[in-house]
Amino acid sequence: MLLTSDARGVYPIAPTPFFDDGSLDLSSIDRLTDFYLQIGATGITVLGQLGEAPKLEYEESLNVATRMIRRADTLPVVVGVTAPGFAAMRALTREVMDRGAAGVMIAPPNTLRTDDQIVTFYRQAVEAIGADVPFVIQDYPLTFSVQMSPGVIRRVIEESPSCVMLKHEDWPGLDKISTLRAWERAGELRHVAILTGNNGLFLDYEMERGADGANTGYAFPDMLCDVVRLSTAGEREAAHDLFDAHLPLLRYEQQPGVGLAVRKYLLMRRGLLSSAAQRKPSAAMSAATRAEVEHLLGRLAEHDPRAVLAP
Amino acid sequence: MLLTSDARGVYPIAPTPFFDDGSLDLSSIDRLTDFYLQIGATGITVLGQLGEAPKLEYEESLNVATRMIRRADTLPVVVGVTAPGFAAMRALTREVMDRGAAGVMIAPPNTLRTDDQIVTFYRQAVEAIGADVPFVIQDYPLTFSVQMSPGVIRRVIEESPSCVMLKHEDWPGLDKISTLRAWERAGELRHVAILTGNNGLFLDYEMERGADGANTGYAFPDMLCDVVRLSTAGEREAAHDLFDAHLPLLRYEQQPGVGLAVRKYLLMRRGLLSSAAQRKPSAAMSAATRAEVEHLLGRLAEHDPRAVLAP
Amino acid sequence: MLLTSDARGVYPIAPTPFFDDGSLDLSSIDRLTDFYLQIGATGITVLGQLGEAPKLEYEESLNVATRMIRRADTLPVVVGVTAPGFAAMRALTREVMDRGAAGVMIAPPNTLRTDDQIVTFYRQAVEAIGADVPFVIQDYPLTFSVQMSPGVIRRVIEESPSCVMLKHEDWPGLDKISTLRAWERAGELRHVAILTGNNGLFLDYEMERGADGANTGYAFPDMLCDVVRLSTAGEREAAHDLFDAHLPLLRYEQQPGVGLAVRKYLLMRRGLLSSAAQRKPSAAMSAATRAEVEHLLGRLAEHDPRAVLAP
Amino acid sequence: MLLTSDARGVYPIAPTPFFDDGSLDLSSIDRLTDFYLQIGATGITVLGQLGEAPKLEYEESLNVATRMIRRADTLPVVVGVTAPGFAAMRALTREVMDRGAAGVMIAPPNTLRTDDQIVTFYRQAVEAIGADVPFVIQDYPLTFSVQMSPGVIRRVIEESPSCVMLKHEDWPGLDKISTLRAWERAGELRHVAILTGNNGLFLDYEMERGADGANTGYAFPDMLCDVVRLSTAGEREAAHDLFDAHLPLLRYEQQPGVGLAVRKYLLMRRGLLSSAAQRKPSAAMSAATRAEVEHLLGRLAEHDPRAVLAP
């Protein structure tokens, strides 16, 4: 089951669960995976940046990916293989594809600047992992400091038939989606899936611009599934109503650094993680932050019963 | 009337109004100023980054500042004097202080990295403008790429008695406010005003952390005034209700680049600017963006009558 | 006398001379200008980055440029007009062109990343200054953090007939010269002058790659003139011998920050500046640095009598 | 044999030798190691940035380090363990220390900005690798974009007794050495070894400022050994004479990107590597570059017989 450019719906970015002592919590992986299946996710992405991938040893990375691939069963699992060099990228790709991954996600190193540097990087990445492995471009300048113009993304898509999806999280990014889709409609560019990230901060309008869904880690991925479904079904105002109800919390979770602590705390509060622990380096939640998150949950619960959580 | 560390309330960041041909629109400055007075703003900041200050000639900068200072009458006007060098910073400071400015705002050059570099910069800035001129630190890493730890801000405050206010727009930044206020409560650091920016994206909780108000340019500064008032009066949930109603639009306007186009468009729709024109370089609003803004306005109008605007 | 793409030889980057109290030292400008004329410079660039241009007030900038333009008489003077916005860039350009400047030099703002952003910037700069004003691209990623691929430079040249020169100071940059010259030989790109900067650190081989000369501020511009002359005349080893004799000192002066202090000190030691003072912010020379510079001068004096200076 | 703060002399940065097909060339590792022993190196650093460490798979990294540790016998071998996360850093550290490494070298991730962030990073790194493992701070802002003030380095040294050496390659950096040594002389800071990098571009004066030697990869490490020896012996002018003879080539090799290609080419020309191959991403040497290197070699050969190489 390989990832194709027909991907759509919601691919949650799975966090990597740890116990308080920092060891891997595999049963929470199972619980998360079952939850994603149950809420109607159409795929899963594991070992992303916010999955704390760089904090894992190599064998741990394999364990996490494998556990999720097996448990997800019918769902395609995309594995983040971003690495400081192509040898490590290739090694991890080969292992996870052998174990049933649907494809891999590749972010650019934060030293890239010019258009040519970016295009060359993806060309060499494809040489490294093999042209038979479907891959996802991660376009996240806020985190990676690499700015890809629409024209650069187009060049990568044109060069590499194995590029099947764009994880779009540029900010601002709405017009970028429109530009890519316009080229597609004009027959100038083949279709790739566009799933959006950045914690879903603009998912409401991204869907209307031509995105195929979401690929992000907000702690209520069930809301993301609903918004994508409602938007696709043309129930525009209902989609916005639900989205807007979550926006105060979603915005809070979207903060860099502390955002991951908030996300893991929320997933623990929802019973999906047994601990909110992160490995270092990590931003801790202050008592004030925790109180604010609970306050946001309380306000959200007035609109969405899924936010009604036992204390 | 000089700015002091007792500043509080809302100091809107005033945009610089242009006609469609790029020339200065002075009557819109008057209209804006009158509006700020009417909604209960407690001060105004002019020639900020989003006031397109770098796009003005020197004489134009003086004209804009002077016009607003005179019209604002009883309101303190802070003038952004950030410049590529200290000579230009001193010249503009001297001129606007002579004309009645309450103080100046200074952002760091985006080449600063280490703590010592930042502290040295503000020391030299004070030498340049004179120790008698009250100044505001602008802490906006998203735009200026300069990261100031709480300890660095403390060092600047301790070194410079003329530092009276922090324009806080770090992201994430809530714990930074708490840290500074904790030092203050412990008697380790004198009080300075903290007014928050970043389009007000976290104003709801910033007030609860100890901010004294807002210092930003969101196109509904009247909402900012209400939220600050409600929060100060202890009407917490009412403050959040109003804030949350605006959040979808506020988030949209907070986008870098296109955000200023959205803001000026909204101010024009509210009858405050005669044109939404910017000087180059500027991000234009696409038709899709305009439609989204109107959609957001329509949805906001259900909660806040100030968003009911004639087409 | 306008700058054209036939420019060649050495255009020293003139420092801005100050007295110890920070005021402009106009008689040192005259002395420098006379010196440049005497050593065979073919032009002068004033108000560059290392000319401390950002530290001047507007009127001072005009004074410095005008003084040099008038004194230089037969030599074309290029004026750096880099500014935080196009309005200031246009204003300064108009003034200096009226006063007889041969053209202007424009560096990109350090926020530019993608190819399109760079090309758009130069297009808008040309709109601002007018298509009739010859201009120089300054390609100096080490200082400005903007990386221009050869393809981007080509696009700017193709779009703007008024682009007549590249101040090339990329590092590494030899192959970039070769690429541009190869396009030119193949008839794909019109000729522009390429004069090289970065303190001349690779002038020896840049000449052999196709550069037309030097456009930098090394304190022995007479050496630069000789190397360009020898290299052009085919006296390769003589050019290298002279260059290599200066390389230890040249490398020392090429350091960021302290380098300008070294340069001004050397020009003072040569009797061209009456003071080595800089305006703030500036890196001071430590006693150890001064001793090292004198040591380097002493060693250079064994190879080049121009380095024999009275104590 | 653990690294201590008494380290001095020359620790060449060993390149990682590959065959033309990209596989590891272990016999060249042996040849290099024997050469380092023979020329009087006092230690070796392996798996540095220019050792192409990020391009190796984990097992390969271990193989390279182990091979060199065993062959070096009496020489301390420092292993670069910089990794995107602490888990991988700890894993590699444990393995190489078990196999006889003398210590490890740690560079900061290029996202660090504030003083506190840098100090926290090294604190967490020490927690990860264990306080019993001697480590080297790599201070190389040109490559890593992290600027460490002398005060930050002092804080790391004070916090971590296992910090025994500074690989100093800031630029400019001479006054930084002087500042650290002044603190040491004043009894305010304990002694750590300072060995300098950046291809040795300022080794001549770094020795005079208080450096203990060199820790860099220039293709003539035998020259580095001689300069350190002469400088330590007080033969100042002889040290400079030898250094200056190499400076034209050394400067050429110091270029980012293409510099590593030049270095490997030179080491191949000297018979130490069987191939100049790099793994991707890599900058290739153009024909013009190769000709320039040969020209530089030819000119150097007139001063240093070690540069007389069979074609």
Side-chain angles (χ1 to χ4, degrees):
Chain A
M1 182 178 42
L2 292 179
L3 188 71
T4 73
S5 56
D6 293 328
R8 54 195 311 114
V10 176
Y11 281 57
I13 301 285
T16 298
F18 299 109
F19 288 114
D20 287 348
D21 68 358
S23 61
L24 282 179
D25 172 6
L26 297 176
S27 62
S28 285
I29 293 183
D30 294 346
R31 218 175 308 123
L32 271 174
T33 312
D34 296 347
F35 174 69
Y36 294 147
L37 281 160
Q38 168 202 328
I39 62 175
T42 49
I44 306 175
T45 297
V46 70
L47 299 182
Q49 181 73 10
L50 289 181
E52 300 178 69
K55 302 178 189 171
L56 302 182
E57 292 191 46
Y58 185 71
E59 286 302 322
E60 292 176 327
S61 300
L62 279 183
N63 285 348
V64 169
T66 308
R67 186 87 175 201
M68 200 154 261
I69 290 167
R70 296 206 174 132
R71 188 84 179 192
D73 191 19
T74 57
L75 283 195
V77 174
V78 175
V79 180
V81 296
T82 304
F86 291 128
M89 186 186 292
R90 175 177 46 228
L92 183 55
T93 298
R94 287 305 179 190
E95 287 271 16
V96 298
M97 293 306 292
D98 281 353
R99 292 164 192 224
V104 299
M105 180 168 70
I106 301 172
N110 65 5
T111 48
L112 302 185
R113 285 291 171 269
T114 71
D115 289 11
D116 287 347
Q117 287 168 349
I118 298 168
V119 171
T120 300
F121 168 76
Y122 276 103
R123 183 184 311 137
Q124 294 182 335
V126 170
E127 287 173 18
I129 65 172
D132 56 322
V133 177
F135 77 93
V136 180
I137 300 174
Q138 186 171 13
D139 178 19
Y140 197 10
L142 201 62
T143 290
F144 298 118
S145 309
V146 177
Q147 293 186 29
M148 305 187 197
S149 65
V152 155
I153 294 170
R154 177 178 176 153
R155 285 172 62 187
V156 175
I157 294 172
E158 287 173 343
E159 272 205 8
S160 302
S162 56
C163 174
V164 296
M165 182 165 130
L166 173 67
K167 180 175 189 339
H168 166 282
E169 32 198 353
D170 199 354
W171 177 67
L174 292 168
D175 283 348
K176 183 182 273 189
I177 299 175
S178 295
T179 299
L180 292 168
R181 288 310 188 214
W183 284 336
E184 192 181 317
R185 277 195 309 276
E188 298 171 19
L189 185 64
R190 69 178 169 86
H191 175 78
V192 298
I194 300 178
L195 273 67
T196 63
N198 198 16
N199 215 38
L201 191 65
F202 285 88
L203 179 61
D204 46 352
Y205 291 107
E206 285 163 345
M207 289 304 298
E208 301 175 22
R209 292 291 187 113
D212 299 302
N215 186 201
T216 195
Y218 178 51
F220 287 83
D222 24 3
M223 180 279 277
L224 303 177
C225 290
D226 290 347
V227 166
V228 167
R229 186 178 44 76
L230 288 166
S231 186
T232 306
E235 300 188 46
R236 186 185 195 194
E237 298 309 316
H240 280 282
D241 288 344
L242 178 58
F243 181 84
D244 287 357
H246 278 264
L247 186 54
L249 178 59
L250 187 155
R251 153 213 64 159
Y252 199 97
E253 192 189 299
Q254 190 246 355
Q255 295 175 88
V258 74
L260 181 58
V262 173
R263 178 182 298 170
K264 286 192 138 183
Y265 176 79
L266 287 168
L267 291 171
M268 184 184 68
R269 290 283 281 111
R270 298 192 75 185
L272 296 166
L273 295 182
S274 58
S275 160
Q278 297 175 61
R279 285 192 178 167
K280 290 183 185 174
S282 61
M285 269 174 75
S286 64
T289 298
R290 181 174 315 218
E292 286 162 354
V293 172
E294 290 293 340
H295 182 248
L296 285 161
L297 267 179
R299 290 181 55 85
L300 175 57
E302 295 170 26
H303 300 280
D304 189 332
R306 291 173 291 206
V308 180
L309 304 174
Chain B
M1 183 177 41
L2 292 180
L3 190 71
T4 73
S5 56
D6 293 328
R8 52 194 314 113
V10 176
Y11 281 55
I13 302 284
T16 298
F18 299 109
F19 289 114
D20 288 348
D21 68 359
S23 61
L24 282 179
D25 171 6
L26 297 176
S27 62
S28 285
I29 293 184
D30 293 345
R31 218 175 307 125
L32 271 174
T33 311
D34 296 347
F35 175 69
Y36 294 147
L37 281 160
Q38 166 201 332
I39 62 174
T42 50
I44 305 175
T45 297
V46 69
L47 298 183
Q49 181 72 14
L50 289 181
E52 301 178 69
K55 302 177 189 172
L56 302 182
E57 292 191 47
Y58 185 71
E59 286 302 323
E60 292 176 326
S61 300
L62 279 183
N63 286 348
V64 169
T66 308
R67 185 90 176 199
M68 199 155 261
I69 289 167
R70 297 205 173 132
R71 187 85 178 191
D73 190 22
T74 57
L75 283 194
V77 174
V78 175
V79 181
V81 297
T82 304
F86 291 127
M89 187 186 292
R90 176 178 45 229
L92 183 56
T93 298
R94 286 306 177 190
E95 289 271 16
V96 297
M97 294 306 292
D98 281 353
R99 293 164 191 224
V104 299
M105 180 168 70
I106 301 172
N110 65 6
T111 48
L112 302 184
R113 286 290 171 270
T114 71
D115 289 12
D116 286 347
Q117 288 169 349
I118 297 168
V119 172
T120 301
F121 167 77
Y122 277 103
R123 183 184 311 136
Q124 294 182 337
V126 170
E127 287 172 19
I129 64 171
D132 55 321
V133 177
F135 77 93
V136 180
I137 301 174
Q138 185 171 13
D139 178 19
Y140 196 10
L142 201 62
T143 289
F144 299 117
S145 308
V146 177
Q147 293 186 28
M148 304 188 197
S149 65
V152 156
I153 294 170
R154 179 178 176 152
R155 285 172 62 188
V156 175
I157 294 172
E158 288 173 345
E159 273 205 9
S160 302
S162 54
C163 174
V164 296
M165 183 165 129
L166 174 67
K167 180 173 186 346
H168 166 283
E169 31 198 354
D170 198 354
W171 178 66
L174 292 167
D175 283 349
K176 183 181 274 188
I177 298 174
S178 295
T179 299
L180 293 169
R181 289 309 188 213
W183 284 337
E184 193 181 316
R185 279 194 308 277
E188 298 172 20
L189 185 63
R190 69 177 169 86
H191 174 79
V192 297
I194 300 180
L195 273 67
T196 63
N198 198 16
N199 215 40
L201 192 65
F202 286 87
L203 179 62
D204 47 351
Y205 291 107
E206 285 162 346
M207 288 305 297
E208 301 176 22
R209 294 289 188 113
D212 298 302
N215 188 200
T216 196
Y218 178 50
F220 287 83
D222 26 2
M223 181 280 278
L224 303 176
C225 289
D226 290 347
V227 166
V228 167
R229 186 179 45 75
L230 289 166
S231 186
T232 306
E235 299 188 49
R236 187 186 196 193
E237 298 309 315
H240 280 282
D241 287 344
L242 178 59
F243 181 85
D244 287 358
H246 278 264
L247 186 54
L249 177 59
L250 188 155
R251 154 213 62 160
Y252 200 96
E253 191 189 298
Q254 190 245 355
Q255 296 176 85
V258 73
L260 180 57
V262 173
R263 177 181 300 170
K264 286 193 137 180
Y265 175 80
L266 287 167
L267 291 170
M268 184 184 67
R269 290 284 280 110
R270 297 192 75 184
L272 297 165
L273 296 182
S274 58
S275 160
Q278 296 175 63
R279 286 194 177 166
K280 292 182 182 175
S282 61
M285 271 175 74
S286 63
T289 298
R290 181 174 312 219
E292 285 162 354
V293 172
E294 290 293 339
H295 182 247
L296 285 160
L297 267 179
R299 290 181 56 85
L300 175 58
E302 295 171 25
H303 300 279
D304 189 332
R306 291 172 291 206
V308 181
L309 304 174
Chain C
M1 180 178 44
L2 293 179
L3 189 70
T4 73
S5 55
D6 292 329
R8 54 195 311 114
V10 177
Y11 281 56
I13 302 284
T16 298
F18 300 109
F19 289 114
D20 287 348
D21 68 0
S23 61
L24 282 179
D25 172 6
L26 296 176
S27 62
S28 284
I29 292 183
D30 294 345
R31 218 175 307 122
L32 271 174
T33 311
D34 296 347
F35 175 69
Y36 295 147
L37 281 160
Q38 167 201 331
I39 63 175
T42 50
I44 305 175
T45 297
V46 70
L47 299 182
Q49 180 73 12
L50 289 181
E52 300 178 70
K55 303 177 188 171
L56 301 182
E57 292 192 46
Y58 185 72
E59 286 303 322
E60 292 176 326
S61 299
L62 280 184
N63 285 348
V64 169
T66 307
R67 185 90 176 199
M68 200 155 261
I69 289 167
R70 296 204 175 134
R71 187 84 179 192
D73 190 21
T74 57
L75 282 194
V77 174
V78 175
V79 181
V81 295
T82 303
F86 291 128
M89 187 186 292
R90 175 178 46 228
L92 183 55
T93 298
R94 287 305 177 190
E95 288 271 16
V96 297
M97 293 306 293
D98 281 353
R99 292 163 191 225
V104 299
M105 178 168 71
I106 301 173
N110 64 7
T111 48
L112 302 185
R113 287 292 172 268
T114 70
D115 289 11
D116 287 347
Q117 288 169 349
I118 298 167
V119 172
T120 301
F121 168 76
Y122 277 103
R123 183 184 313 137
Q124 295 182 335
V126 170
E127 286 172 17
I129 63 172
D132 55 322
V133 176
F135 77 93
V136 180
I137 301 173
Q138 185 172 13
D139 179 18
Y140 196 10
L142 200 62
T143 289
F144 299 118
S145 308
V146 177
Q147 293 186 28
M148 305 187 198
S149 65
V152 156
I153 294 170
R154 178 178 176 154
R155 284 173 61 188
V156 175
I157 294 172
E158 287 174 344
E159 272 205 9
S160 302
S162 54
C163 174
V164 296
M165 182 164 129
L166 173 67
K167 180 176 189 338
H168 166 284
E169 32 198 354
D170 199 355
W171 178 66
L174 292 168
D175 283 348
K176 183 182 273 189
I177 299 175
S178 295
T179 299
L180 292 168
R181 288 308 188 216
W183 284 336
E184 192 180 316
R185 278 194 309 275
E188 298 172 19
L189 185 64
R190 70 177 169 87
H191 175 78
V192 297
I194 299 179
L195 273 66
T196 64
N198 199 16
N199 215 39
L201 192 65
F202 285 88
L203 179 61
D204 46 351
Y205 291 106
E206 285 163 345
M207 289 304 298
E208 301 176 22
R209 293 291 188 112
D212 299 302
N215 186 201
T216 195
Y218 179 51
F220 286 82
D222 27 1
M223 179 279 277
L224 303 177
C225 291
D226 290 347
V227 165
V228 167
R229 185 179 44 76
L230 288 165
S231 186
T232 305
E235 300 188 48
R236 185 184 196 194
E237 298 309 316
H240 280 281
D241 287 345
L242 178 59
F243 181 85
D244 287 357
H246 279 263
L247 186 54
L249 177 59
L250 187 155
R251 153 214 62 161
Y252 199 96
E253 191 189 299
Q254 190 247 355
Q255 297 176 85
V258 73
L260 179 59
V262 173
R263 178 182 300 171
K264 285 192 138 181
Y265 176 79
L266 286 168
L267 291 171
M268 184 185 66
R269 290 284 280 110
R270 298 192 75 184
L272 297 165
L273 296 182
S274 59
S275 161
Q278 296 174 61
R279 286 194 178 166
K280 292 182 183 176
S282 60
M285 270 175 76
S286 63
T289 297
R290 181 174 314 219
E292 286 162 354
V293 172
E294 290 293 339
H295 181 247
L296 285 160
L297 267 179
R299 290 180 55 85
L300 175 57
E302 296 170 26
H303 301 279
D304 189 332
R306 291 173 290 206
V308 180
L309 304 174
Chain D
M1 179 178 43
L2 292 180
L3 190 70
T4 73
S5 55
D6 292 329
R8 53 194 312 113
V10 176
Y11 281 56
I13 301 284
T16 298
F18 300 109
F19 289 114
D20 288 347
D21 67 0
S23 61
L24 284 177
D25 171 7
L26 297 175
S27 63
S28 284
I29 293 183
D30 293 345
R31 217 174 309 123
L32 271 175
T33 313
D34 295 348
F35 174 70
Y36 295 146
L37 281 160
Q38 167 202 329
I39 62 175
T42 51
I44 305 175
T45 297
V46 69
L47 298 182
Q49 181 72 13
L50 289 181
E52 300 178 70
K55 303 179 189 171
L56 302 181
E57 292 193 46
Y58 185 71
E59 286 303 321
E60 292 175 327
S61 299
L62 279 184
N63 285 349
V64 168
T66 308
R67 185 90 176 201
M68 199 154 261
I69 290 167
R70 296 205 173 130
R71 187 84 177 193
D73 191 21
T74 57
L75 282 194
V77 174
V78 175
V79 180
V81 296
T82 303
F86 290 128
M89 187 187 291
R90 176 177 47 229
L92 182 55
T93 299
R94 287 307 178 189
E95 288 271 16
V96 298
M97 293 307 291
D98 281 353
R99 294 165 189 222
V104 299
M105 179 168 72
I106 300 172
N110 66 5
T111 49
L112 302 184
R113 286 292 172 267
T114 71
D115 289 12
D116 286 347
Q117 288 169 349
I118 297 168
V119 172
T120 301
F121 168 77
Y122 276 103
R123 183 184 311 136
Q124 294 182 336
V126 170
E127 286 172 20
I129 65 172
D132 55 321
V133 176
F135 77 94
V136 180
I137 301 173
Q138 186 172 13
D139 179 18
Y140 196 11
L142 199 63
T143 289
F144 299 118
S145 309
V146 177
Q147 293 186 29
M148 304 187 198
S149 65
V152 156
I153 294 170
R154 178 178 177 154
R155 285 172 61 188
V156 175
I157 293 171
E158 287 174 344
E159 272 205 8
S160 301
S162 55
C163 174
V164 296
M165 182 164 130
L166 174 67
K167 180 175 188 341
H168 166 284
E169 31 197 354
D170 199 355
W171 178 67
L174 292 168
D175 282 348
K176 183 182 273 188
I177 299 175
S178 295
T179 299
L180 293 168
R181 288 311 188 212
W183 285 335
E184 192 181 317
R185 278 194 309 275
E188 299 172 19
L189 184 64
R190 68 178 171 85
H191 175 79
V192 297
I194 298 179
L195 273 66
T196 63
N198 198 16
N199 215 39
L201 191 65
F202 285 87
L203 180 61
D204 46 352
Y205 291 106
E206 286 162 344
M207 289 305 297
E208 301 176 22
R209 292 290 188 114
D212 299 302
N215 186 200
T216 197
Y218 177 52
F220 286 83
D222 26 2
M223 179 280 276
L224 303 176
C225 291
D226 289 347
V227 166
V228 167
R229 186 178 44 75
L230 289 166
S231 186
T232 305
E235 301 188 46
R236 186 186 195 192
E237 299 308 317
H240 280 281
D241 288 343
L242 178 58
F243 180 84
D244 288 356
H246 278 263
L247 186 53
L249 178 59
L250 188 154
R251 154 213 62 159
Y252 199 97
E253 191 189 299
Q254 190 246 355
Q255 296 175 86
V258 72
L260 180 58
V262 172
R263 179 183 299 171
K264 286 192 137 181
Y265 175 79
L266 287 167
L267 291 170
M268 184 184 68
R269 291 283 281 110
R270 297 192 76 185
L272 296 165
L273 296 182
S274 59
S275 160
Q278 297 175 62
R279 285 192 178 167
K280 291 182 182 173
S282 60
M285 271 173 77
S286 63
T289 298
R290 181 174 313 220
E292 285 162 354
V293 172
E294 290 293 339
H295 181 247
L296 285 159
L297 268 178
R299 289 180 55 86
L300 175 58
E302 295 169 26
H303 301 277
D304 189 331
R306 291 173 291 206
V308 180
L309 304 175

